[in-house]
């Protein structure tokens, strides 16, 4: 049974900031949270080398393992590819999570090191106009991380659309309503 959570009708328990999961970091999950006011500075420090983002894509997975399809009811997240790393960024009722790994499957098929429900994609893909530090600046400047999760008004698909549309060089993606 996989995970692909988008809990939180009105953002209860939503934490403003980012969970940064690196598969090579053995610290417990609660130690990986970067509060919003420290986001720009600390996230750049954790990221380290300022690599160019080669590709940005939107992927989706079923919300529930018993779901037959992921037509309009799905969890959306963004994948980034750099020369040395794969990255995912997504929003759900727990907050925003950024993951990084040397392996594509570790960020595409897993959420916080647990298997996701069936993943498909990319459903949109393009080259990226940013390097990693510029991407963090964009997240901060656009307040993409801010705002509690809301099932209808501020959900994972809307977040993925904002992040992808800001980062993609020429393509746009909007969730089907």
């Amino acid at each position: 049974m996989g995970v692909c959570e988008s809990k939180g009708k009105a953002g209860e328990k939503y934490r403003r900031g980012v969970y940064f999961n690196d598969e090579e970091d053995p610290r417990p999950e609660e130690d990986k949270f970067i509060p919003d006011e420290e986001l720009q500075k600390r996230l750049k420090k954790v990221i380290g080398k300022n690599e160019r983002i080669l590709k940005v894509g939107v992927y989706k997975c079923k919300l529930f393992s018993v779901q037959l399809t992921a037509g309009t009811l799905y969890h959306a997240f963004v994948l980034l590819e750099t020369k040395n790393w794969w990255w995912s960024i997504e929003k759900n009722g727990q907050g925003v999570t950024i993951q990084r790994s040397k392996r594509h499957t570790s960020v595409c098929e897993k959420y916080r090191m647990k298997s996701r429900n069936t993943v498909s994609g990319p459903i949109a893909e393009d080259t990226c106009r940013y390097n990693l530090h510029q991407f963090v600046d964009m997240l901060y400047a656009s307040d993409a991380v801010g705002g509690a999760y809301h099932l209808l008004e501020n959900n994972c698909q809307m977040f993925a659309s904002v992040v992808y549309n800001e980062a993609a060089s020429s393509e746009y993606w909007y969730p089907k309503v």
Side-chain angles (χ1 to χ4, degrees):
M1 183 169 175
V3 296
C4 224
E5 301 176 357
S6 280
K7 299 183 211 173
K9 292 179 186 150
E12 66 274 356
K13 296 184 182 177
Y14 183 85
R15 293 181 71 187
R16 194 175 163 98
V18 169
Y19 290 94
F20 182 79
N21 285 315
D22 183 335
E23 72 176 352
E24 298 174 3
D25 185 351
R27 293 179 304 148
E29 194 170 292
E30 60 271 8
D31 293 341
K32 297 178 182 182
F33 182 76
I34 302 172
D36 186 54
E37 60 275 3
E38 300 172 24
L39 176 66
Q40 199 169 16
K41 186 176 177 182
R42 275 189 58 200
L43 192 53
K44 284 182 182 179
K45 185 178 178 183
V46 171
I47 286 171
K49 185 179 177 188
N50 190 17
E51 291 186 272
R52 181 93 190 130
I53 301 171
L54 305 173
K55 285 184 186 175
V56 57
V58 178
Y59 287 71
K60 66 180 180 177
C61 64
K62 296 177 183 178
L63 289 174
F64 312 102
S65 59
V66 295
Q67 227 177 295
L68 295 176
T69 69
T72 55
L73 185 61
Y74 60 88
H75 175 72
F77 60 98
V78 174
L79 236 64
L80 307 172
E81 177 187 358
T82 65
K83 181 180 175 188
N84 296 306
W85 297 96
W86 287 93
W87 304 78
S88 68
I89 181 166
E90 58 201 284
K91 184 176 195 169
N92 64 22
Q94 297 174 316
V96 173
T97 297
I98 296 177
Q99 301 182 120
R100 119 175 131 178
S101 175
K102 297 283 185 185
R103 295 183 308 266
H104 175 268
T105 56
S106 293
V107 295
C108 185
E109 297 177 10
K110 294 184 179 186
Y111 171 73
R112 296 190 184 180
M113 307 308 160
K114 295 179 184 165
S115 293
R116 296 181 190 269
N117 293 324
T118 307
V119 176
S120 59
I123 55 176
E125 187 176 60
D126 197 1
T127 57
C128 186
R129 65 173 105 190
Y130 296 126
N131 62 42
L132 287 171
H133 289 192
Q134 290 169 328
F135 185 79
V136 170
D137 290 341
M138 178 275 296
L139 289 176
Y140 191 79
S142 68
D143 198 28
V145 174
Y149 180 90
H150 188 280
L151 186 62
L152 300 175
E153 297 171 6
N154 195 9
N155 62 36
C156 60
Q157 293 178 18
M158 293 170 184
F159 178 79
S161 178
V162 167
V163 171
Y164 178 81
N165 292 342
E166 181 62 36
S169 294
S170 60
E171 299 292 322
Y172 292 97
W173 175 79
Y174 298 98
K176 295 176 183 171
V177 183

